[in-house]
Amino acid sequence: MNSPLRIALIGAGNMGQQHYHHLKTLTQAILCAVADPGPQAAAIATQWGVAHFAEHCQMLKQVKPDAVIVANPNALHVSTALDCLAAGVPVLLEKPVGVHMDEVRQLVNASKATGVPVLVGHHRRHNPLIVRAHELIQSGALGRLTTVTALWQLRKPDSYFETAWRREPGAGMLLTNLIHDLDLLRHLCGEVRQVQAITSNAVRGFANEDCAAVLLQFDSGALGSLTGSDAVAAPWSWELGSGENPVYPRQADQPCYLLAGTAGALSIPQLKRWHYADADGGWHQPLLPEQESFSADEALRLQLQHFVRVVRREVEPLVSVADAARTLALIDAIREAAETGRACTPSLIED
């Protein structure tokens, strides 16, 4: 039997603490060290019973962990991951994979050159309901996917914006929130060929957007829309519908994604599938609802279990650096489309 992997944590903030909460439930891995320069990090490491380092390179050199979870600020993701790859240490890198495409391309190249595994933490792909939705689409249960309607509409309280960086450029919905939905749309529906977009900051007047409307054309020919706002009293979002994170009051009956194809339709997160009894049925026949089943589990814990297998070279990462880079490239294309009023194509990222 394999001994537990010794995993170090770089970044002991909110996401780092969530990772530790799930890591301590696993038998396949243990936490061995924490690296974080913050004033509370030493006390947290002491509470968890592991060594603390203010600087992650020193930790990599002295502790020599089997793997690392990187959960520090977004702007440090790429440079920290590059240090880990240079030390030959596999990485679970929190999303977004990076902030700028130039640095992310550097990480893509380093991942290829070193062969050291990197799993990017778009954890929603590990959620069993998304796994089942992906299976249904790939099996042809919806026929040819034709239209996709995605919603991310809720209200962040005013207190959320008391933190200064949340009012600044780059901290709006696109990179902070809609990146998750766009990643799932790519995962479920395929690559995006072209986007058009309009964004607005009319509600709050901050330097980032509080509303966005995005049109997507997928490589398959399917057309989609994503309408988002963090300034509305509405129940339509992954956070409120999926029940994935208990800090959000659940609106279990409200969808956030509606996928329609030539043979059927699917609402997510309800996983209710609609189809005709006869293949050639039409609007004069009733649509039949069918509730698809799945075994609920915590996506972050499942992601950690997958990471253990990635580190042991048993499987390839579900979300590679190149894959996550395509989601960031899609964000950049949406920003460009909103700024210019033109249809834009995401940058090509090779595997």
Side-chain angles (χ1 to χ4, degrees):
M1 177 178 291
N2 290 323
S3 58
L5 291 178
R6 298 168 57 255
I7 297 181
L9 177 64
I10 300 176
N14 177 56
M15 279 309 303
Q17 292 178 43
Q18 288 191 54
H19 282 298
Y20 173 70
H21 169 74
H22 292 285
L23 181 60
K24 67 183 181 180
T25 69
L26 302 186
T27 60
Q28 309 100 311
I30 57 171
L31 185 71
C32 65
V34 169
D36 188 318
Q40 308 300 322
I44 291 172
T46 298
Q47 179 184 344
W48 293 348
V50 297
H52 168 257
F53 296 83
E55 206 281 317
H56 65 268
C57 286
Q58 183 184 12
M59 181 273 294
L60 291 170
K61 183 177 180 180
Q62 292 189 19
V63 176
K64 294 181 171 51
D66 298 317
V68 165
I69 299 170
V70 173
N72 55 6
N74 293 353
L76 300 176
H77 281 186
V78 169
S79 60
T80 306
L82 288 172
D83 290 337
C84 295
L85 294 186
V89 180
V91 181
L92 168 52
L93 178 62
E94 260 305 320
K95 72 285 178 187
V97 62
V99 176
H100 303 292
M101 285 306 303
D102 287 346
E103 64 171 359
V104 173
R105 288 183 188 277
Q106 183 182 1
L107 183 57
V108 171
N109 292 335
S111 178
K112 293 177 187 176
T114 63
V116 178
V118 180
L119 170 67
V120 181
H122 282 289
H123 69 277
R124 295 179 186 178
R125 294 202 199 183
H126 298 266
N127 191 304
L129 77 85
I130 292 298
V131 173
R132 180 58 181 150
H134 189 266
E135 290 173 350
L136 287 167
I137 295 165
Q138 294 300 309
S139 73
L142 306 187
R144 176 179 175 178
L145 188 64
T146 304
T147 62
V148 181
T149 304
L151 301 167
W152 191 85
Q153 300 184 31
L154 45 66
R155 186 175 187 272
K156 293 177 180 175
D158 293 344
S159 59
Y160 176 89
F161 297 97
E162 291 174 359
T163 303
W165 68 265
R166 290 174 171 167
R167 304 190 297 270
E168 299 304 320
M173 295 182 305
L174 281 175
L175 190 59
T176 305
N177 304 109
L178 298 189
I179 189 170
H180 300 291
D181 301 277
L182 290 162
D183 184 73
L184 283 187
L185 292 180
R186 284 188 52 247
H187 179 58
L188 294 173
C189 308
E191 297 299 340
V192 175
R193 179 183 304 167
Q194 181 178 263
V195 298
Q196 299 178 55
I198 301 172
T199 60
S200 170
N201 67 345
V203 176
R204 297 192 180 94
F206 295 152
N208 52 55
E209 68 281 346
D210 49 46
C211 298
V214 182
L215 295 178
L216 307 119
Q217 181 184 28
F218 294 89
D219 279 349
S220 66
L223 303 179
S225 66
L226 170 58
T227 308
S229 176
D230 62 7
V232 293
W236 304 302
S237 69
W238 173 268
E239 284 84 349
L240 299 184
S242 70
E244 185 178 78
N245 190 333
V247 304
Y248 301 110
R250 191 174 186 187
Q251 306 289 333
D253 60 334
Q254 296 301 314
C256 58
Y257 311 135
L258 301 168
L259 285 65
T262 55
L266 183 69
S267 66
I268 297 173
Q270 291 74 26
L271 280 188
K272 180 174 282 189
R273 182 166 61 91
W274 300 84
H275 60 94
Y276 289 113
D278 299 320
D280 60 348
W283 62 2
H284 294 295
Q285 286 79 45
L287 279 162
L288 306 177
E290 186 169 337
Q291 181 62 55
E292 298 290 341
S293 62
F294 66 98
S295 298
D297 205 339
E298 296 190 72
L300 281 171
R301 188 180 70 83
L302 294 172
Q303 179 181 252
L304 280 171
Q305 290 181 326
H306 175 69
F307 182 51
V308 169
R309 299 190 67 199
V310 168
V311 174
R312 289 178 170 158
R313 309 303 205 273
E314 296 173 358
V315 295
E316 292 297 315
L318 178 61
V319 187
S320 67
V321 177
D323 193 352
R326 294 185 192 105
T327 297
L328 187 64
L330 178 53
I331 291 284
D332 280 1
I334 290 169
R335 283 177 171 160
E336 182 183 355
E339 290 170 0
T340 65
R342 296 186 288 103
C344 294
T345 300
S347 299
L348 180 64
I349 309 294
E350 299 288 351
D351 285 314

